[in-house]
Amino acid sequence: MEIKASRLPVGNPFMERYLADDEWVRAFYEYNPWDECSVSSRLEYIEREWRGADRAELAEVIRAYHTPELLHPAVERNLTRLADPKSLVVIGGQQAGLMTGPLYTLYKAITLIQLAKQEEARLGRPVIPVFWIAGEDHDSEEVNHIHVHDRHDGLTKVEWTGPLSGKQPVSMQMMQPEEMSAYLQTLTQIMGDGAAKREWLEEMQELLEGPVSWTRHFARIMHRLFGREGLLLIDSADPGLRRLEASFFTVLIDQSASIQERVQQASAGLVASGLTEPVHLQDGQGNLFLLEAGERQALYRGVGGWVTKNGETRLTQAELVNIAHEAPERLSNNVITRPLMQEYLFPTLYFVGGPGEVAYWGLLKQAFAQVGLRMPIVLPRLQVTILDRRVQKRMNEFGLSVTDVLVGLDDKREAWLAERVPFALAERFATAKQIIEQEYEALINDLEQGIGRNTREIGQKNLGKILAQVEYYQHFAERAVREKHQVELRHWEELSLAVTPDGKLQERVYNFLSLWNAWGLDWLHRLLETPLVGEGRRHVHYCMFL
């Protein structure tokens, strides 16, 4: 296996600014991650000003969450170290996707693990990697499926067939062993018979003990992959964590209008800088959710208090604050307040996020300040593409570089195909149609002047039929070219499906089981062992050659 770094076009307006425009970063974020002084400045803030949750209490909450089956010795060690008054964390997270969701979920975890090791060695104090599972989320359509390579070398979306509510937080939704077992069997029928098929199937079946929540199953897989690295997991909807959050929920309730005002000001600033708003904001939104009758309802500030989005529940300010104190498990955060709650709980050195997260964090600098906190350093996660032997064979066949296959592959395929034709097919047909139109128009004019009657109308209809036949002939010729080169075009399609399926980067589509099925997990271990998170690396895309 070999890992190579490539610099690719960013392709995301927010990330382009974040990676290249230091002045813009300082305007919308607390720290510039590319400035070597940011870590020392952040460390000074944590030591002198940060007033968040008690580390020892937090460690006990996370220990309880891991008990019993998620307590690898490396996790135990990091729980003990988290209670140290000098401890720091690097944190990132994701929704509890089925079978961990797209590959980038794993790349986030690898970023956290490597970054924690790097900063601990540099600072000489405990730095703990923490993965935040967004169990409070209720958008089931985002987590209820995975994409895998099928046995016909295609891309198949495999949806969860068990019950899954669209309004209930996923942490409250249960997977039955028989449901997951049936899903695994469906996967085995769809996926090819790879070298490690029996291995992953047996290991996934071992994680099916008892009815288990959606997020717990996600946590079991993540622990199986990263527990030995000491990665700590926490479900944002864990009741123990909610009790620790109670006092800060009252802050978010009291400061709700001011938080929203700060966020709206930042959004206007981003738009003024030439970008689109990363999150759609509505007047009066409270940026909190309330659990009512098992369903998660967005809260809005109304006349005299608060109201759920569906209008069925109304609360005074005092009543909502009382819920925060007496039943905090009924409250949850949205995309705006989740980072604030995260900062209250953890002494965070770095937050690691994907491009979308980096974008919406640009709304939050003054929101952090409004609640007496400071935004941590925001670092983009690793980007990785796995290139197996067949992909490399196809790259060599067509003389393509890594950049070629990752950027504009469809255009390169069409250019390759155009070279297979002895002349420019589209241009020749365009010229032919132009000549026909010119000659026919002259003929129509002559006939109209010489004969009159309805010669123009009939002539134009006739011209339309002739041009339609020319277009039919063009499509036939183009189809004949593709049929002549159908073998090579299938090879191009193999490249596209493997590297940029549906026009997206591989990491945003495929689930890791496709790679485990074909190659085992050595590739994952190699990624963990290779230092990929380095100081000053603004935008590096890593390719692993299997």
Side-chain angles (χ1 to χ4, degrees):
M1 294 181 185
E2 181 183 14
I3 299 175
K4 290 184 178 180
S6 300
R7 293 196 179 274
L8 305 176
V10 179
N12 179 304
F14 269 95
M15 288 303 297
E16 286 176 359
R17 297 290 286 274
Y18 196 72
L19 295 167
D21 191 337
D22 291 348
E23 184 176 345
W24 181 86
V25 170
R26 284 191 294 270
F28 292 98
Y29 300 82
E30 192 69 45
Y31 305 94
N32 183 345
W34 325 116
D35 185 340
E36 61 183 19
C37 296
S38 291
V39 170
S40 58
S41 178
R42 179 65 181 173
L43 189 57
E44 182 179 0
Y45 160 75
I46 292 174
E47 290 181 333
R48 296 187 179 185
E49 300 180 44
W50 180 75
R51 299 292 181 269
D54 181 80
R55 287 174 172 87
E57 289 183 33
L58 178 63
E60 285 308 307
V61 167
I62 299 177
R63 176 176 278 105
Y65 178 74
H66 281 75
T67 304
E69 80 275 27
L70 307 180
L71 281 176
H72 188 281
V75 170
E76 285 272 23
R77 177 174 178 268
N78 272 347
L79 286 167
T80 300
R81 283 154 31 92
L82 179 61
D84 186 325
K86 294 180 70 65
S87 70
L88 305 167
V89 307
V90 293
I91 193 167
Q94 189 63 30
Q95 293 115 320
L98 182 61
M99 311 305 291
T100 72
L103 277 162
Y104 64 70
T105 302
L106 307 193
Y107 301 153
K108 279 186 180 179
I110 293 171
T111 309
L112 295 171
I113 292 164
Q114 292 202 0
L115 187 59
K117 290 179 180 178
Q118 172 187 294
E119 294 305 319
E120 181 163 320
R122 176 161 64 157
L123 301 175
R125 58 195 294 170
V127 182
I128 317 299
V130 178
F131 195 97
W132 176 283
I133 308 170
E136 60 200 10
D137 283 358
H138 61 274
D139 190 346
S140 60
E141 291 187 2
E142 290 191 10
V143 300
N144 69 352
H145 62 275
I146 63 173
H147 289 90
V148 296
H149 277 295
D150 61 37
R151 60 176 60 252
H152 304 295
D153 295 326
L155 173 67
T156 296
K157 179 180 179 181
V158 190
E159 295 189 355
W160 175 250
T161 55
L164 191 59
S165 168
K167 276 291 185 181
Q168 191 178 48
V170 293
S171 63
M172 297 177 63
Q173 305 201 44
M174 304 300 290
M175 286 181 175
Q176 301 299 326
E178 58 272 19
E179 293 169 351
M180 178 50 72
S181 181
Y183 185 77
L184 291 174
Q185 290 304 316
T186 298
L187 285 176
T188 63
Q189 294 166 13
I190 290 172
M191 296 167 66
D193 296 326
K197 189 171 188 176
R198 176 174 294 182
E199 176 185 292
W200 70 257
L201 179 59
E202 289 178 353
E203 294 206 29
M204 289 299 101
Q205 287 173 331
E206 288 176 6
L207 302 180
L208 300 183
E209 180 183 353
V212 63
S213 73
W214 195 270
T215 48
R216 190 68 174 185
H217 186 259
F218 177 93
R220 286 178 177 178
I221 300 177
M222 292 294 286
H223 181 73
R224 160 64 182 82
L225 299 175
F226 303 110
R228 72 191 69 179
E229 301 293 334
L231 180 68
L232 301 187
L233 306 167
I234 186 63
D235 181 351
S236 63
D238 177 62
L241 193 68
R242 282 284 184 260
R243 288 189 289 273
L244 202 58
E245 295 172 339
S247 61
F248 195 68
F249 269 126
T250 65
V251 174
L252 296 177
I253 293 167
D254 290 339
Q255 297 293 323
S256 175
S258 297
I259 291 170
Q260 183 68 0
E261 182 181 354
R262 300 293 181 269
V263 171
Q264 287 175 324
Q265 289 171 352
S267 182
L270 287 171
V271 172
S273 74
L275 299 170
T276 58
E277 58 177 7
V279 175
H280 177 62
L281 302 172
Q282 296 178 311
D283 291 338
Q285 69 181 53
N287 299 309
L288 294 170
F289 286 86
L290 179 69
L291 198 62
E292 281 282 82
E295 294 189 346
R296 193 168 177 245
Q297 298 290 341
L299 282 168
Y300 287 77
R301 294 183 307 279
V303 178
W306 295 73
V307 60
T308 53
K309 186 175 183 179
N310 62 11
E312 294 180 3
T313 301
R314 294 183 178 275
L315 299 164
T316 65
Q317 181 89 349
E319 288 172 332
L320 189 58
V321 169
N322 185 63
I323 289 174
H325 285 300
E326 301 299 327
E329 66 278 2
R330 291 184 62 195
L331 293 175
S332 58
N333 298 289
N334 78 341
V335 69
I336 300 299
T337 55
R338 184 182 298 151
L340 308 182
M341 182 64 79
Q342 202 174 78
E343 174 65 14
Y344 166 75
L345 291 169
F346 292 92
T348 305
L349 184 60
Y350 282 94
F351 168 76
V352 171
E357 292 166 304
V358 172
Y360 77 71
W361 273 62
L363 297 170
L364 303 179
K365 181 179 179 179
Q366 295 306 318
F368 275 91
Q370 182 65 40
V371 295
L373 298 170
R374 189 175 297 178
M375 180 190 292
I377 306 169
V378 177
L379 190 73
R381 63 164 171 81
L382 288 171
Q383 289 189 303
V384 181
T385 296
I386 310 295
L387 304 176
D388 63 25
R389 294 164 196 162
R390 184 163 59 176
V391 168
Q392 295 169 62
K393 181 179 179 181
R394 299 305 175 217
M395 289 171 63
N396 293 334
E397 178 182 351
F398 300 116
L400 300 172
S401 67
V402 167
T403 303
D404 289 334
V405 296
L406 290 174
V407 181
L409 183 62
D410 288 346
D411 292 338
K412 295 177 180 66
R413 179 194 60 215
E414 293 306 310
W416 174 90
L417 187 61
E419 292 174 357
R420 312 274 83 77
V421 182
F423 49 80
L425 199 64
E427 287 79 357
R428 286 290 296 274
F429 273 96
T431 300
K433 285 188 280 188
Q434 184 180 21
I435 292 171
I436 291 171
E437 286 183 282
Q438 290 174 346
E439 291 297 322
Y440 229 77
E441 187 62 33
L443 177 60
I444 290 172
N445 287 334
D446 289 344
L447 290 174
E448 184 179 36
Q449 293 175 10
I451 301 175
R453 301 178 66 114
N454 59 345
T455 51
R456 172 164 292 278
E457 179 184 355
I458 297 299
Q460 288 178 335
K461 287 182 179 179
N462 189 240
L463 174 60
K465 293 178 180 179
I466 292 172
L467 292 176
Q469 287 298 307
V470 175
E471 287 185 10
Y472 173 83
Y473 190 35
Q474 180 178 350
H475 294 325
F476 171 82
E478 290 170 346
R479 190 165 58 250
V481 170
R482 291 183 177 276
E483 289 174 354
K484 180 179 179 180
H485 299 284
Q486 59 183 314
V487 173
E488 294 95 331
L489 288 173
R490 279 200 300 269
H491 294 171
W492 279 97
E493 185 63 19
E494 287 176 11
L495 274 173
S496 179
L497 280 172
V499 184
T500 53
D502 286 343
K504 303 173 186 175
L505 287 175
Q506 176 195 86
E507 62 182 24
R508 302 195 64 81
V509 178
Y510 282 114
N511 179 263
F512 83 108
L513 286 181
S514 281
L515 293 171
W516 191 352
N517 185 60
W519 304 103
L521 287 179
D522 286 349
W523 60 274
L524 184 64
H525 301 151
R526 178 67 184 279
L527 285 175
L528 279 164
E529 294 164 0
T530 305
L532 302 177
V533 179
E535 299 175 41
R537 296 185 185 179
R538 293 199 181 207
H539 184 63
V540 176
H541 191 110
Y542 291 97
C543 286
M544 171 175 275
F545 296 86
L546 297 180

